[in-house]
Amino acid sequence: MMKGEAGRMQHSDKPKQEGHIWGSMKRTAFILGSGLLLLVAFWNSVTCLHPETSMTSLPRHLQRFWGASGYFWQAQWERLLSTFEGKEWALYIIGATQVPVLFFWAFNGLLLVVDTTGKPNFISRYRIQVGKNEPVDAEKLRQSVRTVLFNQCVISLPMLVFLYPILKLRGDPCRRELPTFHWFLLELAIFTLIEEVLFYYSHRLLHHPAFYKKIHKKHHEWTAPIGVISLYAHPIEHVVSNMLPVMVGPLIMGSHLSSITTWFSLALITTTISHCGYHLPFLPSPEFHDYHHLKFNQCYGVLGVLDHLHGTDTVFKQTKAYERHILLLGFTPLSESIPDALKKME
């Protein structure tokens, strides 16, 4: 009898849950759209104000700094163009694929030393899930690295090569003039918003029972993640959740190769930090996504904006992990200054 009542209650709650999700999506669209309009309006105001007004002092200083170094970078870029004249596609391949991958493996190489040896201790003491991956399982790691290399070589590389002729329709990514500093910052803001929206909804979709077991469960084999498994995923997930959210922004904006290279490198470093398992000083907090790997049904996004709007971070906000979800500005591990509550003795 109780099972029947519970089933009816779940069935009656389903339309409410769908209505809540739809309402949250409308609020999300409104807030992000309004935020983008305000950002554009603000940017126009600070770039169009009279140069003597105090409100433009910070942009002026930044612009002067960029201008001073901009001549140097413009000269280096023109030298590269001369070297690759007639072979701009090769320059694009290096900038869009090889440079970001180099950053990815350089950073993860350092983290893997700690993951496999537990040394140096001054890094391992910042581990979030204490007692996990000490050291990491060697066979599991080898399997994960093989999958990551497959995703990078067999999926990411062809997708980015295919992106090149499409980008040329929007504007040559290897054009001679580098983007201005303020345009580059605006691009990064738009890239980040687009990634947040596309990653959140694609990621949440992959947690649907129809897709989780066959696709997304592979990534969640690591309940205590490490940096390199940020790209450890089923090929479908790698395309839908890892690649497309990062690629769409530069495609929409018709971005320069310098912006694309910087953005792809930042995206790989950021996702590595989110998965690394260490809450290190002066780096963005990985507590949010680490908690997602631990509990599965919380914290789906990158920034946490959509999780807040959809209420998919309510449990997380009641935990010590949420209290630790801050930028660490000292050298005392947050696991020590904000320890988990001791489990009650049974």
Side-chain angles (χ1 to χ4, degrees):
M1 184 68 178
M2 289 179 67
K3 287 183 179 179
E5 291 177 358
R8 285 194 296 273
M9 287 178 66
Q10 289 178 353
H11 180 75
S12 63
D13 285 344
K14 188 175 180 180
K16 294 180 182 178
Q17 293 172 355
E18 292 175 349
H20 173 70
I21 292 174
W22 175 242
S24 297
M25 289 179 69
K26 289 192 290 185
R27 288 196 300 273
T28 299
F30 174 77
I31 291 172
L32 291 178
S34 302
L36 185 58
L37 288 174
L38 287 172
L39 176 64
V40 172
F42 171 75
W43 195 260
N44 286 336
S45 70
V46 298
T47 54
C48 294
L49 283 173
H50 192 276
E52 297 303 320
T53 58
S54 60
M55 288 183 66
T56 59
S57 59
L58 179 59
R60 278 209 319 276
H61 290 316
L62 290 173
Q63 195 68 22
R64 286 172 184 169
F65 172 77
W66 183 259
S69 61
Y71 294 113
F72 170 78
W73 293 115
Q74 182 68 43
Q76 303 312 307
W77 173 245
E78 290 182 3
R79 183 178 298 177
L80 273 176
L81 285 179
S82 299
T83 303
F84 287 88
E85 187 174 2
K87 296 180 180 179
E88 287 80 5
W89 60 269
L91 181 59
Y92 166 82
I93 295 299
I94 293 171
T97 65
Q98 305 309 302
V99 173
V101 165
L102 180 63
F103 277 109
F104 176 83
W105 283 109
F107 189 28
N108 276 287
L110 296 174
L111 291 172
L112 283 172
V113 171
V114 187
D115 292 330
T116 54
T117 67
K119 297 176 182 179
N121 181 63
F122 72 83
I123 293 181
S124 62
R125 65 196 290 256
Y126 293 101
R127 190 181 302 278
I128 296 173
Q129 295 188 41
V130 180
K132 303 287 184 66
N133 296 327
E134 296 183 0
V136 69
D137 182 275
E139 180 54 37
K140 189 177 180 182
L141 176 60
R142 281 193 291 269
Q143 178 192 351
S144 298
V145 169
R146 285 195 293 268
T147 299
V148 170
L149 289 172
F150 175 86
N151 285 340
Q152 288 181 322
C153 298
V154 181
I155 299 176
S156 296
L157 181 59
M159 286 184 71
L160 293 171
V161 170
F162 181 71
L163 180 65
Y164 180 62
I166 303 176
L167 281 169
K168 292 201 73 172
L169 297 176
R170 299 280 294 116
D172 187 0
C174 296
R175 52 189 175 272
R176 184 163 295 277
E177 187 175 354
L178 289 173
T180 61
F181 179 65
H182 60 269
W183 179 256
F184 174 66
L185 290 182
L186 180 62
E187 280 187 310
L188 284 184
I190 292 173
F191 295 165
T192 303
L193 284 175
I194 291 173
E195 183 194 24
E196 171 73 2
V197 172
L198 294 182
F199 180 78
Y200 178 88
Y201 290 114
S202 64
H203 186 193
R204 195 167 176 185
L205 180 65
L206 289 172
H207 275 265
H208 189 280
F211 304 109
Y212 181 79
K213 187 174 181 180
K214 294 181 179 179
I215 299 175
H216 192 49
K217 187 177 181 180
K218 184 181 185 70
H219 185 68
H220 274 285
E221 290 172 5
W222 291 81
T223 55
I226 61 173
V228 74
I229 68 103
S230 54
L231 299 183
Y232 175 68
H234 187 282
I236 293 175
E237 177 181 353
H238 187 63
V239 171
V240 174
S241 265
N242 291 345
M243 294 299 297
L244 290 180
V246 177
M247 290 170 60
V248 169
L251 180 59
I252 290 175
M253 298 299 291
S255 297
H256 191 277
L257 179 59
S258 59
S259 298
I260 294 171
T261 301
T262 304
W263 167 239
F264 286 175
S265 300
L266 284 174
L268 285 174
I269 293 298
T270 301
T271 191
T272 295
I273 293 172
S274 296
H275 288 85
C276 73
Y278 304 100
H279 194 147
L280 299 169
F282 313 111
L283 290 181
S285 167
E287 301 279 353
F288 188 77
H289 196 72
D290 195 276
Y291 190 81
H292 173 74
H293 274 262
L294 184 64
K295 298 298 182 182
F296 294 7
N297 61 354
Q298 292 279 295
C299 309
Y300 295 97
V302 179
L303 301 176
V305 176
L306 294 178
D307 286 282
H308 175 73
L309 291 174
H310 286 291
T312 49
D313 60 354
T314 52
V315 176
F316 173 66
K317 288 178 177 178
Q318 299 170 18
T319 67
K320 289 290 184 179
Y322 176 67
E323 295 181 34
R324 294 190 292 265
H325 187 44
I326 56 175
L327 180 65
L328 177 57
L329 297 176
F331 295 100
T332 301
L334 287 170
S335 58
E336 295 178 9
S337 57
I338 310 175
D340 288 323
L342 294 175
K343 294 181 180 181
K344 295 181 179 179
M345 298 292 291
E346 294 184 359

